[in-house]
Amino acid sequence: MGIRDYEFRGRTYDQWELGEEFITGARTITEADIVNFAGLSGDWSATHTNDVYGKSTIYGSRIAYGNVTFIVSTGLLTQTLMFEGTTVALLDMQISYQEPVRFEDTIYCKFIPVEKRPTKTPGRGLVTFHVFVYNQNDEQVAEERLVFLISSEKGHM
């Protein structure tokens, strides 16, 4: 047995059923997440990185970047392994934020495939997902619409 014998666990285009609901695992947003994102992006906005300033805002504390909420949510989707070896690309995304995510909030997602259509290229199709992001109190903090190009075969992009 070797690396070429690994069997990807992702769902193929044909395996996604519209309206089926899934829940991801959860992850706590930490100080390290914010510092790492600030360093990577170069965005050191005071709302996210200055505790004194954060306390003076309408939020009453520093809050996570919206983009941190988004990238953690996509990581949570990936950790389900339902996209492993079948997702070719993320082609489109729309995101809206309902509530701030605070340091030490724990977020998780509910996601639902809501639209499918084959592409002109055989063996691939587009699947649109509606993703709801919640905090530890089951309050919705974000809503996403993600369009993935997904293969009809595992491990063949």
Side-chain angles (χ1 to χ4, degrees):
M1 302 258 341
I3 193 168
R4 289 175 185 78
D5 298 309
Y6 179 77
E7 293 185 33
F8 290 102
R9 298 176 226 176
R11 285 187 174 209
T12 63
Y13 171 76
D14 296 324
Q15 290 175 316
W16 288 105
E17 292 185 32
L18 298 182
E20 193 172 4
E21 293 187 9
F22 303 93
I23 299 290
T24 68
R27 185 172 178 298
T28 301
I29 304 301
T30 67
E31 175 89 21
D33 294 326
I34 303 310
V35 171
N36 286 328
F37 182 82
L40 177 64
S41 67
D43 178 352
W44 291 90
S45 299
T47 303
H48 313 291
T49 62
N50 180 324
D51 194 51
V52 173
Y53 177 76
K55 289 176 182 172
S56 75
T57 68
I58 60 171
Y59 308 112
S61 68
R62 291 181 293 158
I63 59 171
Y65 296 87
N67 283 332
V68 167
T69 300
F70 172 69
I71 61 175
V72 169
S73 73
T74 60
L76 291 170
L77 293 177
T78 302
Q79 289 173 23
T80 68
L81 300 179
M82 298 178 86
F83 299 88
E84 182 194 42
T86 56
T87 300
V88 179
L90 171 62
L91 298 179
D92 190 35
M93 60 183 149
Q94 296 173 358
I95 307 164
S96 63
Y97 300 99
Q98 287 73 47
E99 296 293 332
V101 172
R102 301 177 187 285
F103 288 51
E104 303 307 316
D105 275 357
T106 299
I107 64 172
Y108 71 95
C109 304
K110 176 174 76 171
F111 64 104
I112 306 163
V114 294
E115 185 180 330
K116 285 174 62 171
R117 72 177 177 83
T119 62
K120 294 177 185 177
T121 303
R124 295 181 184 168
L126 300 178
V127 182
T128 301
F129 292 88
H130 202 163
V131 181
F132 302 91
V133 184
Y134 300 97
N135 66 16
Q136 68 279 357
N137 300 317
D138 298 323
E139 300 165 328
Q140 185 177 322
V141 297
E143 189 169 331
E144 305 165 357
R145 180 187 168 278
L146 307 177
V147 180
F148 290 99
L149 179 61
I150 297 183
S151 177
S152 294
E153 296 182 48
K154 294 182 182 191
H156 294 89
M157 305 298 169

